[in-house]
Amino acid sequence: MKKSPLPLQNASGASKNQKLGKEALVKLLRWHFGHPEFRGKQLEAIEAVLSGRDCFCLMPTGGGKSMCYQIPALAKKTGIVLVVCPLIALMENQVMALKEKGIAAEYLSSTQTTQVKKKIHEDLDSGKPSLRLLYVTPELIATPGFMTKLTKIHSRGLLNLIAIDEAHCISSWGHDFRPSYRKLSSLRSHLPGVPTLALTATAVPKVQKDVIESLRLQNPLVLKSSFNRSNIYYEVRYKDLLHNVYADLSDVLKSSGDICAIVYCLERTMCDYLSVHLSQNGISCAAYHAGLNDKLRSSVLDDWISSKIQVVVATVAFGMGIDRKDVRIVCHFNIPKSMEGFYQESGRAGRDQLPSRSLLYYGIEDCKRMKFILSNAENKKSKASNSQEELSKKSLTDFQQMVEYCEGSGCRRKKILENFGEKVPVTLCSKTCDACKHPNLVAKYLEELATACIVRQKAGSSRIFVGSSSNKVNEDQSSEFWNRDDEASCSEEDISDSDDDVADLVAVKSLTRSKLIDEKLEALQRAEEKYYQNKSDKQTDKLNKNAISDTLREASKQRLENAVKQAQQRLGNLKIEVEKSASFLENECYKKYGKTGKSFYYSQVASTVRWLSTVNSTDLTDRLCPITSSPSENTPLKTAPSASQSPLVETGPFATLSPLVDRATEITGNDLHESVRLEASVALSPTQSDSPSTILPAIPSFSEFINSKKVTDNRSSASEKQSPNGVEKNPEKKMRLR
Ligand SMILES: Nc1ncnc2c1ncn2[C@@H]1O[C@H](COP(=O)(O)OP(=O)(O)OP(=O)(O)O)[C@@H](O)[C@H]1O
Ligand SMILES: [Mg+2]
């Protein structure tokens, strides 16, 4: 609906130079926005800036901060209010909403056509701009050309106010630091005397101080409202105690009716997967993340704003400035990295002040993963500088507060508010969080969770980050997630995309593609971890359990003796000392794998037995040469059975695989074991000896195994491709690979 401007003199009964009184301001509010009264500290902020005073305004999410500069823009007959916004999407939304109300507002960004930009500049250059509000990015402010323009406008007395929205972005202590905001500190020197209004919903004391100092606010009026969002019910559910977390979320959304919701995930892949899952369960939803192209993203946003879809499953890219008032549920499917982020995101619920819900799914694995990400960032940044190191440490402390929010039994609301330095009366929550409403149940869950943790630790079932190459690759992205360092060099167009997520940050394989293979790999990773965990955790145990006993050595010697005897008979009673030979061969196995443990040792004995069953007389005599020429065990050998040399290579040395694979069997069953065993037998590379005398098969690490498997797979498929008329060159091998 278009409205003509409210005649200010009539509204206030004031002359040109007089300040508007409260009544006149309320009239403006009602006329333009249809709200009956100012909320919270809106009026105080408006009056302060209209009187020319700087103001720092801390209001909760959805508290109505925009009004604090929109009303002043309408209260002055001439001149403009300059609004600095971190995101183009945010500017677009606000400008569109203002235009719908008939208020002359524009934004300048490279997404605008040249024609539109030209029109805006012409208006600004005119003696009396018709514009009331001009939204810009911090990057544009930093350009000399635009600063010159602002200086000109200011010199003509037409710059009424500078409003810095989401002002916490200026502080590297804030959860959403944007280096481009730092450039705003030059505004004061270029545009002296213009009142500045800094607005934020999330600023702990340290950030508040930083914002005020960085923007060089002069004797500002500091307005702080409570962070309490009384209309939001806070709840945590424990993934590890749920039978099926996906089904649980589905149920929550379905049972809430056709409501509007946001589900936040840590990774893009999870957004895609969850969105598909929810859709399949009849929930109208779509994924939103920085991995989608601009067109798709804005169409998802449009569909959600216009209620065509009810649920958006998003990364943090679905962020600031999303102003749909009737969001009833904000769900965090993964634990957020800080209380500030959590507060901002959950605060997108219930901006209409109606009862709404924040639901966080807490999982032990998620928690470990986030800790890993943050520690990684810490390690990386501690190399950079001391202040960076301090920041990184802060990130872990911040995260710990989130963990306490989930793992503590006390009032959730209290925890949020105390995090922002507020003193909370006991009566404040009045059963508007799960911990206050169902204390016994929450206590029971926490107990069960603690038990689950212990069981997990005992089982060594952590899936967190086996040294996979993808970690390395993705390290760089963590900085983007962390504090958007790279934004300093971003062009204006990049801004909306810079609100990126940690997509691909962690080595989560595609859930939709090759799920089966991933599950197998995960099982192997778990098995390997389990193996190494057992190894480190139970050193003493290991020594006992994994130690090669004399009895085992004796038994192996006996086994080898039998094998030597059979070889001797097969080769026409070859002249060899059976017992001595067996002893020599056993000793070789022990020298190589005695320290590694009995499974490896046992594998080597088995492979030697197999080698003996087919060896020819020359090879055998050569092999036993040291004992025929010298009885010393240390005499170098000429040859030895190895993976590459043995005629039994494909089934020989690895007929019994490493403990890793043995353990994988325990977890995944025989199918996996079998397939891995067969694949490994093909894929393993020729072994190298650590001494020139003994050439024995190396036991591959999991990563080596995977890499060699990939190479073999590639080679195999390449050779198949090369094969004319689709005739398989190596059907046997292919069969094994299957
Ligand atoms: N005085 C008021 N009375 C009723 N509703 C209001 C009032 N002031 C603002 N609102 C409404 O409250 C909602 C939130 O306002 P706004 O977007 O300005 O909040 P915000 O504080 O900037 O939130 P965020 O921190 O999420 O950016 C808007 O829909 C707005 O129309
Ligand atoms: Mg806002």
Side-chain angles (χ1 to χ4, degrees):
M1 183 183 62
K2 295 237 169 194
K3 281 189 180 148
S4 60
L6 182 68
L8 292 174
Q9 286 88 344
N10 294 346
S12 60
S15 70
K16 196 183 168 188
N17 291 323
Q18 275 179 316
K19 278 192 286 175
L20 292 187
K22 181 189 167 188
E23 204 187 314
L25 294 170
V26 172
K27 270 187 186 169
L28 284 175
L29 177 76
R30 290 179 188 162
W31 177 262
H32 288 283
F33 299 97
H35 303 315
E37 294 297 335
F38 283 113
R39 253 196 215 157
K41 306 224 158 135
Q42 281 177 331
L43 184 63
E44 281 173 76
I46 293 164
E47 285 179 334
V49 294
L50 282 175
S51 71
R53 189 170 175 190
D54 288 346
C55 180
F56 175 86
C57 186
L58 186 65
M59 266 192 204
T61 46
K65 290 183 285 296
S66 321
M67 212 54 77
C68 301
Y69 51 82
Q70 287 170 349
I71 292 288
L74 298 162
K76 296 256 179 174
K77 277 183 77 184
T78 53
I80 62 161
V81 167
L82 184 77
V83 186
V84 181
C85 264
L87 297 176
I88 293 172
L90 194 153
M91 298 195 296
E92 275 173 356
N93 285 350
Q94 288 212 9
V95 167
M96 199 176 68
L98 288 169
K99 280 182 169 174
E100 272 172 17
K101 291 178 171 68
I103 297 166
E106 285 293 353
Y107 67 94
L108 272 173
S109 89
S110 51
T111 55
Q112 304 275 50
T113 62
T114 323
Q115 224 178 356
V116 171
K117 276 193 267 188
K118 201 174 152 215
K119 235 176 126 186
I120 295 169
H121 282 292
E122 278 171 6
D123 188 58
L124 292 174
D125 293 341
S126 72
K128 199 181 171 201
S130 64
L131 273 182
R132 291 301 179 86
L133 292 122
L134 178 67
Y135 287 75
V136 293
T137 60
E139 283 78 9
L140 186 64
I141 301 255
T143 58
F146 189 71
M147 189 52 96
T148 310
K149 174 143 289 179
L150 284 179
T151 318
K152 276 185 193 160
I153 297 170
H154 176 46
S155 66
R156 298 206 305 271
L158 294 172
L159 195 54
N160 294 332
L161 172 67
I162 299 167
I164 317 288
D165 207 0
E166 312 289 356
H168 59 276
C169 295
I170 203 169
S171 173
S172 52
W173 294 103
H175 77 285
D176 225 341
F177 172 54
R178 281 161 193 257
S180 54
Y181 258 65
R182 281 274 168 210
K183 295 165 193 160
L184 298 176
S185 54
S186 66
L187 280 169
R188 178 95 304 161
S189 48
H190 284 101
L191 308 164
V194 181
T196 302
L197 170 66
L199 304 134
T200 178
T202 56
V204 288
K206 200 165 187 173
V207 178
Q208 291 168 24
K209 192 167 168 274
D210 204 7
V211 170
I212 290 171
E213 282 172 6
S214 306
L215 289 173
R216 296 194 230 162
L217 301 187
Q218 314 269 296
N219 180 32
L221 175 69
V222 178
L223 296 171
K224 289 186 201 172
S225 310
S226 168
F227 283 90
N228 188 24
R229 292 293 311 274
S230 55
N231 63 322
I232 299 180
Y233 179 88
Y234 294 97
E235 181 185 353
V236 177
R237 293 197 180 187
Y238 300 95
K239 283 181 171 178
D240 301 83
L241 307 180
L242 288 168
H243 177 61
N244 184 336
V245 65
Y246 302 101
D248 192 77
L249 176 61
S250 245
D251 290 347
V252 167
L253 293 170
K254 273 161 93 180
S255 62
S256 306
D258 200 15
I259 52 129
C260 172
I262 306 172
V263 179
Y264 281 108
C265 299
L266 181 67
E267 302 134 12
R268 297 172 192 180
T269 45
M270 182 49 85
C271 291
D272 293 333
Y273 176 76
L274 197 52
S275 164
V276 169
H277 178 86
L278 296 175
S279 301
Q280 281 167 353
N281 279 277
I283 294 159
S284 144
C285 74
Y288 182 105
H289 51 72
L292 306 175
N293 64 39
D294 289 354
K295 216 173 151 188
L296 196 54
R297 268 213 312 262
S298 71
S299 101
V300 171
L301 184 58
D302 289 348
D303 287 351
W304 183 74
I305 297 275
S306 61
S307 295
K308 274 190 204 153
I309 51 169
Q310 293 304 309
V311 181
V312 170
V313 187
T315 61
V316 291
F318 196 71
M320 286 183 271
I322 303 292
D323 185 17
R324 190 171 156 172
K325 294 190 186 87
D326 59 340
V327 178
R328 295 277 73 90
I329 297 181
V330 171
C331 166
H332 282 87
F333 200 68
N334 307 100
I335 184 170
K337 71 181 167 78
S338 71
M339 189 60 95
E340 283 178 278
F342 171 66
Y343 178 76
Q344 280 271 2
E345 284 144 22
S346 60
R348 292 188 182 116
R351 289 160 73 91
D352 54 6
Q353 312 304 312
L354 294 175
S356 307
R357 193 166 160 191
S358 154
L359 172 62
L360 193 161
Y361 283 99
Y362 177 69
I364 298 168
E365 294 295 331
D366 289 351
C367 177
K368 286 183 187 171
R369 196 175 341 170
M370 187 56 95
K371 271 187 189 152
F372 178 88
I373 293 166
L374 299 174
S375 324
N376 238 15
E378 179 176 359
N379 291 340
K380 195 174 163 189
K381 291 190 175 173
S382 61
K383 286 170 202 151
S385 70
N386 284 344
S387 65
Q388 289 279 31
E389 188 180 348
E390 215 185 321
L391 272 178
S392 301
K393 284 205 177 102
K394 180 188 174 289
S395 70
L396 283 167
T397 321
D398 285 353
F399 178 62
Q400 196 49 41
Q401 280 165 341
M402 236 14 263
V403 174
E404 274 157 27
Y405 173 84
C406 301
E407 288 190 359
S409 57
C411 173
R412 314 254 189 229
R413 185 177 303 280
K414 193 164 183 273
K415 280 182 195 140
I416 298 172
L417 298 176
E418 284 180 347
N419 179 68
F420 294 115
E422 274 187 43
K423 287 210 167 73
V424 185
V426 202
T427 49
L428 184 79
C429 186
S430 62
K431 302 190 177 179
T432 51
C433 79
D434 59 346
C436 290
K437 197 171 183 187
H438 308 289
N440 294 339
L441 197 63
V442 171
K444 180 179 158 259
Y445 288 155
L446 289 172
E447 227 168 78
E448 284 173 16
L449 187 74
T451 316
C453 274
I454 294 165
V455 170
R456 225 167 236 266
Q457 269 167 11
K458 278 193 179 154
S461 65
S462 166
R463 281 189 293 151
I464 310 296
F465 297 106
V466 175
S468 124
S469 56
S470 50
N471 292 345
K472 182 95 197 82
V473 170
N474 289 316
E475 251 176 29
D476 291 340
Q477 291 197 23
S478 66
S479 67
E480 183 190 8
F481 163 67
W482 185 239
N483 65 9
R484 302 163 169 97
D485 285 342
D486 49 346
E487 200 197 324
S489 60
C490 272
S491 69
E492 198 190 350
E493 291 89 333
D494 295 327
I495 295 166
S496 59
D497 283 341
S498 73
D499 206 18
D500 209 346
D501 62 344
V502 284
D504 305 328
L505 187 65
V506 289
V508 174
K509 309 289 177 196
S510 164
L511 283 155
T512 43
R513 283 173 288 128
S514 44
K515 203 171 167 228
L516 196 65
I517 292 173
D518 289 346
E519 278 170 9
K520 286 184 177 182
L521 292 181
E522 270 189 24
L524 281 170
Q525 286 182 339
R526 278 199 297 276
E528 188 179 49
E529 277 198 342
K530 191 178 166 188
Y531 170 69
Y532 285 113
Q533 190 164 343
N534 286 341
K535 195 174 157 184
S536 60
D537 284 355
K538 301 173 187 169
Q539 272 300 326
T540 356
D541 253 20
K542 193 211 87 174
L543 281 174
N544 297 335
K545 282 186 192 167
N546 213 18
I548 300 162
S549 65
D550 287 344
T551 325
L552 177 63
R553 286 196 71 181
E554 214 31 64
S556 303
K557 222 177 280 174
Q558 193 56 58
R559 196 175 163 197
L560 286 164
E561 208 176 297
N562 293 341
V564 173
K565 260 187 215 157
Q566 282 168 16
Q568 189 185 35
Q569 283 165 15
R570 184 172 50 80
L571 298 170
N573 285 329
L574 193 70
K575 278 205 166 172
I576 43 172
E577 289 187 57
V578 174
E579 200 184 338
K580 216 171 167 184
S581 300
S583 193
F584 167 76
L585 291 170
E586 186 280 329
N587 206 47
E588 256 192 317
C589 299
Y590 186 74
K591 266 199 301 193
K592 182 74 183 172
Y593 290 117
K595 282 183 188 143
T596 321
K598 68 180 168 194
S599 306
F600 294 84
Y601 160 82
Y602 197 73
S603 295
Q604 193 56 31
V605 171
S607 84
T608 313
V609 169
R610 287 192 175 82
W611 174 76
L612 284 167
S613 70
T614 55
V615 71
N616 62 38
S617 51
T618 324
D619 285 351
L620 183 60
T621 343
D622 278 357
R623 175 85 192 271
L624 298 172
C625 171
I627 49 167
T628 46
S629 57
S630 155
S632 164
E633 285 176 4
N634 297 325
T635 311
L637 294 169
K638 269 167 78 186
T639 57
S642 74
S644 56
Q645 288 170 310
S646 169
L648 297 165
V649 63
E650 288 185 356
T651 53
F654 295 95
T656 306
L657 269 182
S658 70
L660 157 66
V661 179
D662 288 343
R663 279 166 177 79
T665 320
E666 288 165 29
I667 294 166
T668 60
N670 288 331
D671 287 352
L672 169 61
H673 183 212
E674 192 57 18
S675 88
V676 169
R677 192 174 70 80
L678 291 171
E679 285 167 3
S681 71
V682 175
L684 294 164
S685 56
T687 56
Q688 288 192 341
S689 167
D690 55 0
S691 110
S693 60
T694 49
I695 306 165
L696 294 166
I699 304 295
S701 75
F702 178 73
S703 329
E704 283 166 345
F705 161 62
I706 293 296
N707 288 338
S708 59
K709 179 186 166 297
K710 277 182 195 154
V711 170
T712 314
D713 284 356
N714 290 345
R715 275 197 205 127
S716 160
S717 63
S719 71
E720 279 158 28
K721 274 179 199 152
Q722 280 163 16
S723 168
N725 309 322
V727 177
E728 291 178 4
K729 277 187 174 169
N730 195 343
E732 188 198 342
K733 191 171 180 179
K734 192 176 172 198
M735 202 173 79
R736 272 192 262 113
L737 281 167
R738 273 186 199 131

